Amino acid sequence: MSHRDYVRREVLQKTEHGPLFSWVDINPTELCNRACVFCPRSTSYPNVNFHITEDVIEKIGLDLEDIDFQGMVNICGNGEPLLCRNLLDLISRLKSFSIEMVTNGDHLSEKKICKLFDTGIDYINVSLYDGEHQLDKFHRLFENAGISRCQYTLREYWKPLPFLNNRAGSLSSGTTRQKQPCYYLHYSVQIDWNGDVLFCVQSVYNKLNKHGNILKSSLRDIWYGSSMRKYRRLLEQRRDHSPCKQCDVIGTRFGWKYVKNWEKPSISKKN
């Protein structure tokens, strides 16, 4: 993870209800051109021609403006963003915020890189899976597009990755972390292409567990709503409840200062 990612995850905006999220992950499409072994698409997850809609794009923009959002918008999710037919509309609407994108790079070209940055993207993470030979290719692409190395990262994911996880139980795994806490819900939200606020950024392949939908409620109300508050309290202790008990992700790398800043229910009642 880049220093830039770390800093943005650690932005702390306080309100009378508790800290705001600092990381918004958006899943713009259900299409992907790859089926990586560490992804549920390699087993049974379907490839579907769904794309984020204009009304969802507009509502995300309005809700983030309403809270004067200072964190990071990450366009990633569980598909390949460059296959999203409304990707440039999404970037253009959110260009007043810090936006980064994660892509496998298969559909990147010099022209497309220029268009993405001209539209409003701030940073691109390219996940490389095929080998070291990809480095020179992508460095040349970005250089020819006039993009400096401080505006992108090439992730060397063909190497063994120590931080792979079972995607909140969507993949088989021999390990669980039921006795460990998890802080994802204390600082981040996951918005699906249709406006659903999914359980967490790791549970993007499980569409059954949701906290709400931004077309029916504001993102602020969902963030401070009963569902997210309930699971934050549970996850501060352990994860022996559904849907977290099968998840093996290390959930304490970020978010501790958010945990400390959440008001405890007893304090809220006294005040």
Side-chain angles (χ1 to χ4, degrees):
M1 174 173 293
S2 69
H3 175 70
R4 180 176 184 274
D5 284 351
Y6 177 82
V7 169
R8 283 295 175 180
R9 285 180 192 259
E10 292 296 296
V11 170
L12 183 60
Q13 289 180 263
K14 297 181 181 180
T15 77
E16 68 274 19
H17 303 294
L20 284 169
F21 46 87
S22 62
W23 188 265
V24 178
D25 193 279
I26 299 174
N27 177 42
T29 181
E30 284 292 313
L31 287 178
C32 190
N33 61 299
R34 289 197 175 221
C36 301
V37 294
F38 55 81
C39 174
R41 291 183 189 278
S42 63
T43 54
S44 59
Y45 192 83
N47 214 32
V48 186
N49 192 25
F50 291 157
H51 304 269
I52 194 167
T53 56
E54 293 293 342
D55 54 345
V56 171
I57 291 173
E58 178 62 19
K59 188 57 162 50
I60 293 173
L62 291 173
D63 282 0
L64 294 182
E65 289 166 352
D66 180 60
I67 61 173
D68 188 28
F69 181 64
Q70 300 297 312
M72 175 67 71
V73 174
N74 184 45
I75 300 175
C76 179
N78 55 310
E80 169 49 51
L82 291 178
L83 298 180
C84 176
R85 64 168 66 113
N86 297 323
L87 177 61
L88 293 180
D89 293 333
L90 174 62
I91 295 170
S92 179
R93 179 61 181 87
L94 302 182
K95 63 185 178 183
S96 61
F97 308 103
S98 294
I99 311 173
E100 70 173 32
M101 182 181 73
V102 179
T103 173
N104 59 35
D106 291 346
H107 292 268
L108 272 182
S109 64
E110 180 183 330
K111 181 179 179 180
K112 189 162 289 186
I113 290 171
C114 290
K115 188 65 174 177
L116 289 166
F117 279 93
D118 288 344
T119 303
I121 203 82
D122 295 299
Y123 199 87
I124 296 179
N125 293 292
V126 186
S127 301
L128 305 179
Y129 302 111
D130 298 338
E132 189 174 358
H133 65 278
Q134 291 184 286
L135 292 172
D136 287 340
K137 169 190 172 182
F138 282 99
H139 279 311
R140 284 197 304 271
L141 273 180
F142 281 98
E143 182 179 353
N144 292 339
I147 304 302
S148 71
R149 294 198 179 192
C150 67
Q151 293 174 280
Y152 71 93
T153 294
L154 302 183
R155 297 172 167 178
E156 300 178 3
Y157 281 3
W158 67 85
K159 297 179 179 179
L161 303 177
F163 53 83
L164 290 179
N165 64 79
N166 67 5
R167 302 289 185 168
S170 296
L171 287 170
S172 60
S173 171
T175 62
T176 59
R177 300 182 185 274
Q178 294 181 13
K179 295 183 179 180
Q180 296 191 18
C182 181
Y183 304 150
Y184 275 104
L185 292 187
H186 292 77
Y187 71 90
S188 63
V189 291
Q190 173 74 43
I191 304 176
D192 209 4
W193 63 272
N194 63 353
D196 283 341
V197 177
L198 301 180
F199 187 82
C200 78
V201 296
Q202 293 295 334
S203 186
V204 292
Y205 298 94
N206 179 359
K207 309 292 188 179
L208 299 178
N209 296 287
K210 323 168 182 175
H211 300 292
N213 185 288
I214 63 170
L215 297 179
K216 299 177 181 178
S217 303
S218 71
L219 194 50
R220 177 201 290 264
D221 287 347
I222 294 171
W223 177 250
Y224 292 121
S226 59
S227 177
M228 295 199 77
R229 283 185 177 274
K230 168 189 173 181
Y231 284 104
R232 282 189 201 109
R233 291 194 293 270
L234 289 171
L235 288 167
E236 286 174 15
Q237 306 301 322
R238 54 190 294 137
R239 57 178 85 171
D240 55 354
H241 53 276
S242 179
C244 306
K245 60 185 178 181
Q246 300 302 323
C247 181
D248 67 355
V249 69
I250 298 174
T252 54
R253 295 175 65 200
F254 304 97
W256 171 238
K257 74 178 183 180
Y258 294 84
V259 174
K260 293 190 296 182
N261 276 276
W262 277 99
E263 284 188 345
K264 301 301 180 184
S266 58
I267 297 176
S268 299
K269 289 178 182 179
K270 290 179 181 179
N271 291 339

